Amino acid sequence: MNLTKAQSERWIPFVVVGLILSTAMVQAAVGFNTVLFPVRLEDYGFSKTLIGICLSFEVASVLVIVGSINGIISRLGLVGTIFIATSGRLLMLLILSQTRSFPLWCFSIFGFGLTTYLILIALQTWINGVPLQRYRGLVIGCFSSALSLGTASGPIVLNMVGVGGGARPFQASMGIVALSLLLLLPLLRFAPVISSQPRLRLRYVIRMARVPMMSSLVGGVTFFGLPAFLTLYGMMNGLSVQRASLLLSAFMVGSVSLGLLISILSDHVNRTLLIVACVLVGVVCAVYLPLGIYNYPIALGLLFVWGGAAGGVYATGLATVGHLFRQEDQVSANVAYSMMDNLGGVISVLLIGFLMGAGIADGIVFVTVFTALAYFIYCLSQLNQE
């Protein structure tokens, strides 16, 4: 049922907390698989270029379904979308646990990315639709931190389970996916009803929020490209798979802690300037990573700060989008924001995979810095037009 005004004050805190916890579990499976997938593919003998192509299917799936997302959510509702998408995630993991076929891996990773995206859009739309009179920046910051905290916990859980063991790691990932749905069960009757729109107004929302939408693309380059190859990057520089996997955890813990502080700060300062500052901090961290990787504590520190800056970009941009648009445009706005995020991810995963496959070990740095410079130029051009 819908939340009434009388119920809002009583139930909103519980709904928000439940959504944030479920989001963390959704992303815990993603963090788990972010290490498991590339390591398994390398163990199967595939090159880094092929690994990049395969992993890009996960983020490319968003671009395929983006035109249908409004119809799916309107027809199935937020609850139906979450149930069906969770079942799809479980099926894709089951297939991956049973095959070494490269085409099947591409198909299953594509399906896993698509269903994960459906769940996150549903959760993001749900939490942006909660009638928050105050502290929107804080709530969205907690939501963003849940994304990062869940992803950070994935490699830790994987180290406990182990990368080997045949299907066992995939079964553990399936358990995490199932738990994310169980956490939502008490909240299902409070899910808002999303009215159907004739079409998504993607061009409109992107045009009305150019800078935060472009910041989402830049954030996607970092949040997808860096995790996809960070474990392999650490292993290429002499780290064991256990120590290399914790590089991702350091990045995500930074996003949880520093990113949340930046999100709270965004309620009190100019959000555009804050996003630009976070992108600049990310560039500095990227430039020093090739030197810091040879000193494990320094590498963890750099990635912690980088994660905080990246989390600040995502949360601040999302809060801006949630503030700019009315309820009836929230689905379009959230889809457009995620589409730009995933577009940046597709570009970065393919480019980084190609560069690393060509023997350029610091492909992560080159792609990140180039994207940030392009973003700075774009912001300056928008400032001149105004």
Side-chain angles (χ1 to χ4, degrees):
M1 65 179 181
N2 291 326
L3 287 170
T4 65
K5 291 183 179 180
Q7 293 172 320
S8 294
E9 292 185 1
R10 182 190 305 173
W11 292 108
I12 283 177
F14 297 100
V15 172
V16 169
V17 170
L19 290 173
I20 289 172
L21 290 176
S22 180
T23 300
M25 294 308 301
V26 169
Q27 283 299 109
V30 173
F32 190 99
N33 297 331
T34 297
V35 177
L36 176 62
F37 289 171
V39 172
R40 274 296 179 92
L41 285 168
E42 188 171 58
D43 287 344
Y44 294 160
F46 297 112
S47 68
K48 291 182 175 60
T49 300
L50 287 178
I51 292 173
I53 292 172
C54 186
L55 296 179
S56 70
F57 276 85
E58 182 172 359
V59 286
S61 62
V62 175
L63 305 180
V64 174
I65 200 175
V66 68
S68 305
I69 186 69
N70 183 57
I72 293 173
I73 292 179
S74 299
R75 187 175 300 110
L76 300 177
L78 295 177
V79 173
T81 300
I82 292 170
F83 264 97
I84 292 175
T86 300
S87 300
R89 294 179 95 203
L90 292 172
L91 177 61
M92 295 302 108
L93 288 171
L94 179 61
I95 295 173
L96 287 172
S97 68
Q98 302 297 321
T99 184
R100 295 190 177 195
S101 167
F102 186 76
L104 270 180
W105 265 77
C106 290
F107 168 79
S108 299
I109 286 180
F110 177 89
F112 185 84
L114 187 150
T115 49
T116 299
Y117 169 74
L118 282 174
I119 294 173
L120 291 178
I121 281 292
L123 292 172
Q124 189 170 296
T125 302
W126 189 341
I127 203 165
N128 257 335
V130 175
L132 301 171
Q133 301 301 323
R134 301 175 60 189
Y135 308 119
R136 176 169 293 276
L138 174 60
V139 171
I140 297 301
C142 290
F143 177 81
S144 176
S145 294
L147 295 171
S148 301
L149 181 61
T151 307
S153 67
I156 297 174
V157 176
L158 180 62
N159 281 337
M160 297 170 60
V161 175
V163 180
R168 186 177 61 180
F170 296 95
Q171 293 167 354
S173 184
M174 292 171 70
I176 297 172
V177 169
L179 183 57
S180 69
L181 180 60
L182 293 177
L183 289 172
L184 282 179
L185 292 181
L187 309 177
L188 298 182
R189 64 194 181 103
F190 301 111
V193 177
I194 303 298
S195 58
S196 179
Q197 294 177 241
R199 59 183 176 83
L200 287 173
R201 306 208 297 168
L202 298 181
R203 291 184 181 179
Y204 167 75
V205 296
I206 291 174
R207 185 173 68 251
M208 295 299 295
R210 290 187 180 94
V211 173
M213 289 297 175
M214 290 303 298
S215 73
S216 178
L217 187 145
V218 174
V221 168
T222 302
F223 265 114
F224 287 102
L226 187 65
F229 290 97
L230 191 54
T231 301
L232 296 182
Y233 180 74
M235 293 170 65
M236 290 171 65
N237 286 279
L239 297 178
S240 66
V241 63
Q242 289 80 15
R243 288 166 68 87
S245 66
L246 292 179
L247 296 174
L248 175 60
S249 294
F251 178 85
M252 292 301 173
V253 169
S255 180
V256 171
S257 52
L258 297 181
L260 177 58
L261 294 177
I262 294 170
S263 179
I264 296 173
L265 181 63
S266 73
D267 283 333
H268 307 285
V269 301
N270 184 292
R271 284 173 173 156
T272 300
L273 293 179
L274 186 60
I275 291 172
V276 170
C278 288
V279 173
L280 179 59
V281 171
V283 170
V284 174
C285 293
V287 168
Y288 281 98
L289 182 61
L291 298 176
I293 194 65
Y294 297 108
N295 187 305
Y296 192 61
I298 291 178
L300 293 176
L302 282 173
L303 288 165
F304 176 82
V305 175
W306 194 355
V313 171
Y314 182 88
T316 304
L318 184 59
T320 303
V321 168
H323 177 75
L324 286 176
F325 297 102
R326 302 169 297 175
Q327 175 67 34
E328 53 267 34
D329 285 322
Q330 282 297 324
V331 173
S332 294
N334 282 283
V335 168
Y337 194 81
S338 295
M339 182 185 70
M340 297 297 289
D341 189 47
N342 282 268
L343 178 61
V346 171
I347 294 171
S348 64
V349 170
L350 287 174
L351 286 179
I352 293 171
F354 174 78
L355 291 176
M356 293 181 72
I360 303 175
D362 295 323
I364 291 175
V365 176
F366 294 147
V367 173
T368 302
V369 172
F370 177 80
T371 305
L373 291 176
Y375 177 71
F376 291 144
I377 294 172
Y378 178 78
C379 289
L380 289 173
S381 68
Q382 291 297 306
L383 182 62
N384 290 333
Q385 289 178 12
E386 295 177 359

